[in-house]
Amino acid sequence: MKIAVIGTGYVGLVTGTCFAETGVTVTCIDNDNEKVKSLIEGSVPIYEPGLESLIKRGMEKRRLSFSSSIETGIVDAEVIFIAVGTPPGQDGSADLGNVLKVAEEIGASLKNYSVIATKSTVPVGTSEKIRTAIKKQLAKRGAEIGFDVASNPEFLKEGSAVEDFLRPERIVVGVDNEKTAEIMKRLYMPFVLNNHLILFMDIASAEITKYAANCMLATRISFINEIANLCDILGADINEVRKGIGSDSRIGGKFLYPGTGYGGSCFPKDVKALAKTAKDHGYEMKVISAVELANEIQKNVIFNKIMNFFGNRLKGTSFGIWGLSFKPQTDDIRESSSIYLINKLLSEGATIKAYDPAAIEETKKVLGDRIGYCDDPYQAIKGVDAMVLMTEWSDFHLPSFSKMANLMRKKVIFDGRNIYDPSEIKKQGFTYFGIGRR
Ligand code: NAD
């Protein structure tokens, strides 16, 4: 079987590579020529555990190739995945510019029957727009080539994307006919044989499922953040509360960790986009809107604690930031609360040094020389007034507090992920601030 994947980012590259691993012949296509060139030369543009070796194997076995041309890349492909970005537009709705441009290009060069399956997260109705765009281009060149559309939203998590793709909790496929379902079933057969759940449904339901999943997860985060903030006010400990509620099987303990607000390339835009879709159809989603508002407020939680501690004056202060990516095990800094905090601290006149195991190069593209970048976490806290933990990379879990105490000007820790034990830290002579910790 031969397939093509258009868009070679976090989702497209993992999708193409993992399908190649199952024996499928895959062409990954991207309009970023530099990215394609570096992939062909064997360099992987993103940090994702386990991905590099699979790409190497796929290329060696000649099952995985890269191209910057849709026209040549889709030849003979039975399934063409669209996995390009869908960033938020000005009004919060998903910007479908990339998706529809790709659909037009597919229509302009399609030569054989294909299923056009959308992996990008897109609002209800997008598959129909893709169908229309392709048809229009086919009509323009008088080509009578059959095709079908499908919605195949992706649920992988950055940081464990390869594992999530190869061992999915479920695969969702939205189709409107049996032929498309059969082709998608054949493609996913290796996963089905391994007992991974595949759910076929109508296209609109598949499109909504992705948004509903992300919004549910975002809701849990905003919920536990609010409870943590209340714990702060009332002198309770969120960790005790979290265990207390998580042990109820109806609630469960996963995804109930308070922090500095959700970020990344998905939750913020998907929450906004679902609310906008509903609004466009005359329905106001009150829970989803509140989730977003709560998150905007939560992004300031550490900044407010810092301002409070330093008497609202940060001029002349310096901070060592541990963690820049929006979560561990990725170099993705899109909507990262660490970058948000750094910008706020800089605007108050503070000086920043930062360390991250993977995201420094990405951060340099955004912050340039406005902050100092360090090769190890201890270098980042030398002479600072406080250390701020913003991403819970495992490297940060068990630091040498005595070494830290010797390096820092003031022994103050702001723990934006609650990874340290406040009483332990206080024993080491540090002033500690977590989120919702007594
Ligand atoms: P990304 O920005 O990492 O990658 C998108 C890629 O598409 C880029 O390499 C870009 O150059 C390419 N591209 C854009 N326009 C193109 C065009 N016209 N022709 C060819 N290539 C083009 O994005 P991503 O994080 O992989 O996300 C892709 C989609 O998947 C989004 O809709 C996102 O919401 C969804 N999604 C993302 C994740 C995630 O964890 N990142 C998880 C599930 C779903």
Side-chain angles (χ1 to χ4, degrees):
M1 191 170 194
K2 184 177 183 299
I3 67 164
V5 182
I6 306 174
T8 308
Y10 287 89
V11 168
L13 186 55
V14 172
T15 299
T17 306
C18 290
F19 274 128
E21 188 67 11
T22 68
V24 174
T25 304
V26 185
T27 308
C28 285
I29 305 161
D30 206 287
N31 66 352
D32 180 339
N33 291 331
E34 281 305 306
K35 194 181 257 189
V36 171
K37 192 167 162 266
S38 71
L39 279 161
I40 291 170
E41 285 165 359
S43 124
V44 180
I46 54 169
Y47 176 87
E48 190 58 57
L51 185 60
E52 196 165 346
S53 58
L54 290 193
I55 292 178
K56 198 163 168 254
R57 185 155 63 210
M59 289 174 82
E60 278 168 5
K61 302 252 179 218
R62 300 193 171 281
R63 288 201 294 255
L64 181 63
S65 61
F66 300 96
S67 168
S68 48
S69 159
I70 290 184
E71 188 178 358
T72 53
I74 64 170
V75 173
D76 294 334
E78 270 187 79
V79 181
I80 302 169
F81 284 102
I82 300 180
V84 296
T86 46
Q90 293 270 314
D91 58 0
S93 61
D95 180 345
L96 296 178
N98 294 332
V99 170
L100 296 178
K101 186 166 180 288
V102 165
E104 279 178 13
E105 282 189 57
I106 293 171
S109 47
L110 195 66
K111 291 190 181 64
N112 53 279
Y113 171 87
S114 258
V115 171
I116 320 300
T118 307
K119 272 229 169 282
S120 302
T121 304
V122 292
V124 173
T126 305
S127 296
E128 282 317 310
K129 287 184 181 163
I130 290 171
R131 196 196 312 266
T132 307
I134 296 174
K135 267 190 181 161
K136 216 166 146 186
Q137 292 302 316
L138 289 173
K140 228 177 180 175
R141 59 189 177 103
E144 282 186 19
I145 299 161
F147 73 94
D148 280 298
V149 294
S151 165
N152 178 208
E154 183 49 58
F155 297 96
L156 62 75
K157 303 182 285 299
E158 284 176 27
S160 57
V162 170
E163 179 66 19
D164 291 345
F165 197 96
L166 292 174
R167 275 170 275 280
E169 286 184 336
R170 84 299 208 184
I171 299 153
V172 169
V173 188
V175 291
D176 60 1
N177 63 65
E178 205 38 53
K179 181 180 176 185
T180 312
E182 282 308 318
I183 292 170
M184 295 302 281
K185 207 179 275 171
R186 188 149 48 83
L187 177 61
Y188 277 110
M189 190 52 82
F191 301 85
V192 178
L193 287 175
N194 282 330
N195 289 327
H196 298 293
L197 181 66
I198 183 159
L199 299 167
F200 283 94
M201 57 182 76
D202 63 275
I203 291 176
S205 300
E207 287 170 338
I208 289 196
T209 297
K210 174 64 194 176
Y211 282 103
N214 275 0
C215 288
M216 178 74 217
L217 294 170
T219 302
R220 282 176 77 91
I221 295 176
S222 278
F223 171 81
I224 202 69
N225 281 338
E226 281 205 329
I227 300 290
N229 294 341
L230 188 64
C231 285
D232 258 342
I233 294 165
L234 301 179
D237 186 338
I238 188 63
N239 265 358
E240 302 303 330
V241 178
R242 201 172 54 75
K243 282 183 229 151
I245 61 171
S247 50
D248 183 329
S249 62
R250 292 168 303 174
I251 298 172
K254 286 188 182 168
F255 241 78
L256 275 184
Y257 292 90
T260 55
Y262 58 75
S265 68
C266 292
F267 288 2
K269 80 172 171 57
D270 293 348
V271 167
K272 280 192 187 76
L274 187 64
K276 181 68 171 62
T277 298
K279 202 170 166 204
D280 288 347
H281 290 80
Y283 179 60
E284 196 192 334
M285 298 188 87
K286 294 196 173 61
V287 173
I288 300 304
S289 303
V291 165
E292 189 194 348
L293 179 62
N295 196 60
E296 288 307 311
I297 294 167
Q298 194 68 15
K299 278 162 128 184
N300 295 301
V301 68
I302 289 289
F303 177 73
N304 291 341
K305 283 173 194 269
I306 289 174
M307 287 296 269
N308 205 17
F309 181 76
F310 288 97
N312 291 323
R313 280 178 58 85
L314 299 187
K315 231 180 173 50
T317 58
S318 66
F319 295 86
I321 308 282
W322 284 8
L324 295 163
S325 54
F326 84 93
K327 67 171 182 179
Q329 300 289 351
T330 180
D331 59 351
D332 197 344
I333 58 159
R334 289 177 283 186
E335 302 259 355
S336 158
S337 44
S338 180
I339 306 296
Y340 179 87
L341 172 73
I342 289 172
N343 274 319
K344 292 207 77 160
L345 295 176
L346 289 173
S347 70
E348 291 294 327
T351 308
I352 309 286
K353 288 190 286 179
Y355 170 76
D356 186 285
I360 286 183
E361 289 314 310
E362 286 302 306
T363 307
K364 280 182 183 169
K365 291 180 195 164
V366 176
L367 293 178
D369 59 5
R370 295 170 65 213
I371 67 168
Y373 302 95
C374 301
D375 294 331
D376 84 88
Y378 296 106
Q379 207 185 326
I381 54 166
K382 202 169 168 202
V384 298
D385 293 300
M387 182 278 252
V388 190
L389 184 291
M390 289 300 285
T391 319
E392 68 278 31
W393 284 91
S394 52
D395 313 36
F396 301 149
H397 279 264
L398 290 169
S400 162
F401 289 110
S402 55
K403 189 171 173 181
M404 289 171 70
N406 285 332
L407 287 168
M408 292 165 70
R409 184 158 61 200
K410 284 195 186 126
K411 289 160 71 174
V412 185
I413 292 177
F414 292 91
D415 177 3
R417 300 289 169 180
N418 283 355
I419 67 171
Y420 300 123
D421 177 348
S423 52
E424 258 313 297
I425 292 227
K426 278 175 193 161
K427 265 191 229 155
Q428 310 270 354
F430 284 89
T431 305
Y432 174 85
F433 297 92
I435 297 171
R437 312 295 292 278
R438 201 173 19 233

